[in-house]
Amino acid sequence: MERPAWFDEALACAPEHASVEVDGARIAYRAWGPTDAPVTVLVHGGAAHAGWWDHVGPLLDAPSSPHRVVALDLSGHGDSDHRDAYTLETWADEVVAVAADQLSPSPPVVVGHSMGGFVALTAARDHGASLAGAVAVDSPVQEMSSETRAWVASGRGLPPQKVYPDLPSILRRFRTLPADDATLDYVHEHVARTSVREVEGGWRWKFDPRIFLRSRMEPEELAEADCPVALLRGDRGMATTDITDTVAARLGGNVPVTVVRDSGHHVMLDQPLVLAAVVQAITGEWRRP
């Protein structure tokens, strides 16, 4: 598929790179837009990184509505430090710290995809009074199976990451989970190339496998927030209607749900222009005087 002009223009908007320290870990982030504009923080999913938003972030800083758009690498991901253990609460603290590192006088909106949506919902629960709102994008909040619960409780370690001999070898192994035929090829390629790092002996993925021990959220972890919350889901995504209904009910019922057509779980890879438009509409409404 030929790369469209909008995609190349978005990638040409080189972000600023910075970091903050949160609970002893350096948290890297990238940002677009003026520092004194309203802040939107973009949170990637599990095993992903800030680069998954490279083609979306610039779209949210529109000339008619300037925004400071910030995408962070949660600890254990991307270029941020790793920790001995991970929690949704610590990741939410990282999001709030990155937002606070900006100079905007107005409270931020947090937008999280998949596991990043769990982080956004946790931030809304624990820090809602300091947020303008939180958006969870295809985040499947659900009960863990008994097998998964037993595995997590066992404390069994995870196998070390494989080191691939060269760049083409590891890029051929890049997959989204679940797989989706709707993913745009040029977005897939960009995300894959920014998901790896060169190490001694070859190449490996940037994420820490231990993040999978805390990459889930169950309904009982939800609570009403002191800020607005919205849910987005792909029509073929993992956050099915019964899941979003349960989440909305746990959050008090007054939670809008937007379905993005012709999209699977990875909405920013399938329908990035639609995702950007929906996020702009939601955040614009929340920030309306």
Side-chain angles (χ1 to χ4, degrees), residues 229-256:
V229 175
L231 306 177
L232 273 68
R233 65 179 182 88
D235 61 355
R236 300 189 311 278
M238 296 177 67
T240 54
T241 302
D242 58 329
I243 289 176
T244 52
D245 286 349
T246 298
V247 172
R250 295 279 302 193
L251 294 175
N254 187 26
V255 177

Short mmCIF file of all heavy atoms in Angstrom, two decimals, residues 229-256:
data_model
loop_
_atom_site.label_atom_id
_atom_site.label_comp_id
_atom_site.label_asym_id
_atom_site.label_seq_id
_atom_site.Cartn_x
_atom_site.Cartn_y
_atom_site.Cartn_z
N VAL A 229 -15.00 10.21 31.71
CA VAL A 229 -14.36 9.05 31.10
C VAL A 229 -15.13 8.67 29.84
O VAL A 229 -16.36 8.75 29.81
CB VAL A 229 -14.32 7.85 32.07
CG1 VAL A 229 -13.75 6.61 31.38
CG2 VAL A 229 -13.51 8.18 33.31
N ALA A 230 -14.41 8.29 28.79
CA ALA A 230 -15.03 7.84 27.55
C ALA A 230 -14.35 6.55 27.12
O ALA A 230 -13.17 6.31 27.41
CB ALA A 230 -14.92 8.89 26.46
N LEU A 231 -15.11 5.71 26.41
CA LEU A 231 -14.58 4.44 25.91
C LEU A 231 -14.67 4.42 24.39
O LEU A 231 -15.67 4.85 23.81
CB LEU A 231 -15.38 3.27 26.47
CG LEU A 231 -15.51 3.18 28.00
CD1 LEU A 231 -16.40 2.00 28.38
CD2 LEU A 231 -14.15 3.06 28.67
N LEU A 232 -13.61 3.93 23.74
CA LEU A 232 -13.62 3.68 22.30
C LEU A 232 -13.31 2.20 22.09
O LEU A 232 -12.59 1.59 22.89
CB LEU A 232 -12.53 4.49 21.58
CG LEU A 232 -12.85 5.91 21.12
CD1 LEU A 232 -13.04 6.82 22.32
CD2 LEU A 232 -11.72 6.44 20.25
N ARG A 233 -13.86 1.64 21.04
CA ARG A 233 -13.50 0.26 20.71
C ARG A 233 -13.61 0.04 19.22
O ARG A 233 -14.38 0.69 18.52
CB ARG A 233 -14.41 -0.72 21.45
CG ARG A 233 -15.88 -0.69 21.06
CD ARG A 233 -16.66 -1.74 21.85
NE ARG A 233 -18.06 -1.78 21.48
CZ ARG A 233 -18.55 -2.53 20.48
NH1 ARG A 233 -17.74 -3.29 19.76
NH2 ARG A 233 -19.84 -2.52 20.20
N GLY A 234 -12.79 -0.87 18.71
CA GLY A 234 -12.92 -1.29 17.33
C GLY A 234 -14.09 -2.25 17.19
O GLY A 234 -14.39 -3.01 18.12
N ASP A 235 -14.75 -2.22 16.04
CA ASP A 235 -15.91 -3.10 15.91
C ASP A 235 -15.52 -4.58 15.86
O ASP A 235 -16.36 -5.45 16.04
CB ASP A 235 -16.76 -2.71 14.69
CG ASP A 235 -16.02 -2.80 13.37
OD1 ASP A 235 -14.80 -3.07 13.37
OD2 ASP A 235 -16.65 -2.58 12.31
N ARG A 236 -14.23 -4.87 15.63
CA ARG A 236 -13.74 -6.24 15.71
C ARG A 236 -12.67 -6.35 16.80
O ARG A 236 -11.81 -7.23 16.75
CB ARG A 236 -13.14 -6.67 14.37
CG ARG A 236 -14.11 -6.65 13.20
CD ARG A 236 -13.51 -7.30 11.97
NE ARG A 236 -12.17 -6.79 11.68
CZ ARG A 236 -11.92 -5.65 11.03
NH1 ARG A 236 -12.93 -4.88 10.63
NH2 ARG A 236 -10.69 -5.26 10.80
N GLY A 237 -12.73 -5.46 17.77
CA GLY A 237 -11.70 -5.41 18.79
C GLY A 237 -11.93 -6.37 19.94
O GLY A 237 -12.83 -7.21 19.92
N MET A 238 -11.10 -6.20 20.99
CA MET A 238 -11.17 -7.07 22.16
C MET A 238 -12.14 -6.54 23.21
O MET A 238 -12.62 -7.31 24.04
CB MET A 238 -9.76 -7.21 22.76
CG MET A 238 -8.76 -7.89 21.85
SD MET A 238 -7.10 -7.98 22.57
CE MET A 238 -7.37 -9.10 23.95
N ALA A 239 -12.40 -5.25 23.19
CA ALA A 239 -13.35 -4.67 24.15
C ALA A 239 -14.76 -4.81 23.58
O ALA A 239 -15.31 -3.88 22.99
CB ALA A 239 -13.02 -3.20 24.43
N THR A 240 -15.33 -5.97 23.73
CA THR A 240 -16.63 -6.28 23.16
C THR A 240 -17.74 -5.50 23.88
O THR A 240 -17.50 -4.87 24.93
CB THR A 240 -16.91 -7.79 23.27
OG1 THR A 240 -16.73 -8.19 24.64
CG2 THR A 240 -15.92 -8.57 22.40
N THR A 241 -18.95 -5.56 23.34
CA THR A 241 -20.06 -4.79 23.89
C THR A 241 -20.31 -5.12 25.36
O THR A 241 -20.56 -4.22 26.18
CB THR A 241 -21.33 -5.05 23.07
OG1 THR A 241 -21.10 -4.69 21.71
CG2 THR A 241 -22.50 -4.23 23.61
N ASP A 242 -20.25 -6.40 25.72
CA ASP A 242 -20.50 -6.77 27.12
C ASP A 242 -19.42 -6.20 28.04
O ASP A 242 -19.71 -5.79 29.17
CB ASP A 242 -20.61 -8.28 27.27
CG ASP A 242 -19.36 -9.02 26.79
OD1 ASP A 242 -18.71 -8.53 25.86
OD2 ASP A 242 -19.05 -10.08 27.36
N ILE A 243 -18.19 -6.13 27.54
CA ILE A 243 -17.11 -5.56 28.35
C ILE A 243 -17.31 -4.07 28.55
O ILE A 243 -17.23 -3.55 29.68
CB ILE A 243 -15.74 -5.85 27.71
CG1 ILE A 243 -15.40 -7.34 27.83
CG2 ILE A 243 -14.64 -4.99 28.35
CD1 ILE A 243 -14.11 -7.74 27.13
N THR A 244 -17.59 -3.33 27.47
CA THR A 244 -17.77 -1.88 27.62
C THR A 244 -19.02 -1.56 28.44
O THR A 244 -19.04 -0.57 29.18
CB THR A 244 -17.85 -1.19 26.25
OG1 THR A 244 -18.84 -1.82 25.43
CG2 THR A 244 -16.50 -1.26 25.53
N ASP A 245 -20.05 -2.39 28.34
CA ASP A 245 -21.24 -2.19 29.18
C ASP A 245 -20.89 -2.34 30.66
O ASP A 245 -21.34 -1.55 31.51
CB ASP A 245 -22.34 -3.19 28.81
CG ASP A 245 -23.02 -2.85 27.49
OD1 ASP A 245 -22.78 -1.75 26.96
OD2 ASP A 245 -23.77 -3.71 26.98
N THR A 246 -20.09 -3.36 30.97
CA THR A 246 -19.69 -3.59 32.36
C THR A 246 -18.84 -2.44 32.87
O THR A 246 -19.03 -1.94 33.98
CB THR A 246 -18.90 -4.91 32.48
OG1 THR A 246 -19.74 -6.00 32.10
CG2 THR A 246 -18.40 -5.12 33.90
N VAL A 247 -17.88 -2.00 32.06
CA VAL A 247 -17.00 -0.90 32.46
C VAL A 247 -17.82 0.37 32.69
O VAL A 247 -17.65 1.06 33.70
CB VAL A 247 -15.91 -0.66 31.40
CG1 VAL A 247 -15.12 0.61 31.73
CG2 VAL A 247 -14.97 -1.85 31.32
N ALA A 248 -18.72 0.68 31.75
CA ALA A 248 -19.54 1.88 31.88
C ALA A 248 -20.38 1.83 33.15
O ALA A 248 -20.52 2.83 33.87
CB ALA A 248 -20.43 2.05 30.65
N ALA A 249 -20.94 0.66 33.45
CA ALA A 249 -21.76 0.53 34.65
C ALA A 249 -20.93 0.73 35.91
O ALA A 249 -21.36 1.41 36.86
CB ALA A 249 -22.43 -0.85 34.67
N ARG A 250 -19.73 0.16 35.94
CA ARG A 250 -18.86 0.30 37.11
C ARG A 250 -18.41 1.75 37.30
O ARG A 250 -18.11 2.17 38.42
CB ARG A 250 -17.62 -0.58 36.95
CG ARG A 250 -17.89 -2.09 36.92
CD ARG A 250 -18.07 -2.68 38.27
NE ARG A 250 -16.93 -2.49 39.15
CZ ARG A 250 -16.78 -3.14 40.31
NH1 ARG A 250 -17.68 -4.02 40.69
NH2 ARG A 250 -15.74 -2.92 41.07
N LEU A 251 -18.38 2.50 36.20
CA LEU A 251 -17.96 3.90 36.27
C LEU A 251 -19.13 4.85 36.50
O LEU A 251 -18.96 6.07 36.43
CB LEU A 251 -17.21 4.28 35.00
CG LEU A 251 -15.87 3.57 34.78
CD1 LEU A 251 -15.28 3.93 33.43
CD2 LEU A 251 -14.89 3.91 35.89
N GLY A 252 -20.31 4.31 36.75
CA GLY A 252 -21.45 5.15 37.07
C GLY A 252 -22.49 5.27 35.98
O GLY A 252 -23.52 5.91 36.16
N GLY A 253 -22.24 4.68 34.82
CA GLY A 253 -23.23 4.63 33.76
C GLY A 253 -23.18 5.76 32.76
O GLY A 253 -23.54 5.58 31.60
N ASN A 254 -22.72 6.93 33.15
CA ASN A 254 -22.70 8.08 32.24
C ASN A 254 -21.37 8.14 31.50
O ASN A 254 -20.58 9.07 31.64
CB ASN A 254 -22.93 9.38 33.03
CG ASN A 254 -23.08 10.58 32.12
OD1 ASN A 254 -23.49 10.45 30.97
ND2 ASN A 254 -22.75 11.76 32.63
N VAL A 255 -21.13 7.10 30.70
CA VAL A 255 -19.86 6.95 29.99
C VAL A 255 -20.15 6.69 28.51
O VAL A 255 -20.71 5.65 28.15
CB VAL A 255 -19.03 5.78 30.56
CG1 VAL A 255 -17.74 5.59 29.76
CG2 VAL A 255 -18.72 6.02 32.03
N PRO A 256 -19.80 7.63 27.63
CA PRO A 256 -20.05 7.40 26.20
C PRO A 256 -19.13 6.32 25.64
O PRO A 256 -17.97 6.21 26.03
CB PRO A 256 -19.74 8.77 25.57
CG PRO A 256 -18.78 9.41 26.52
CD PRO A 256 -19.16 8.93 27.88
#
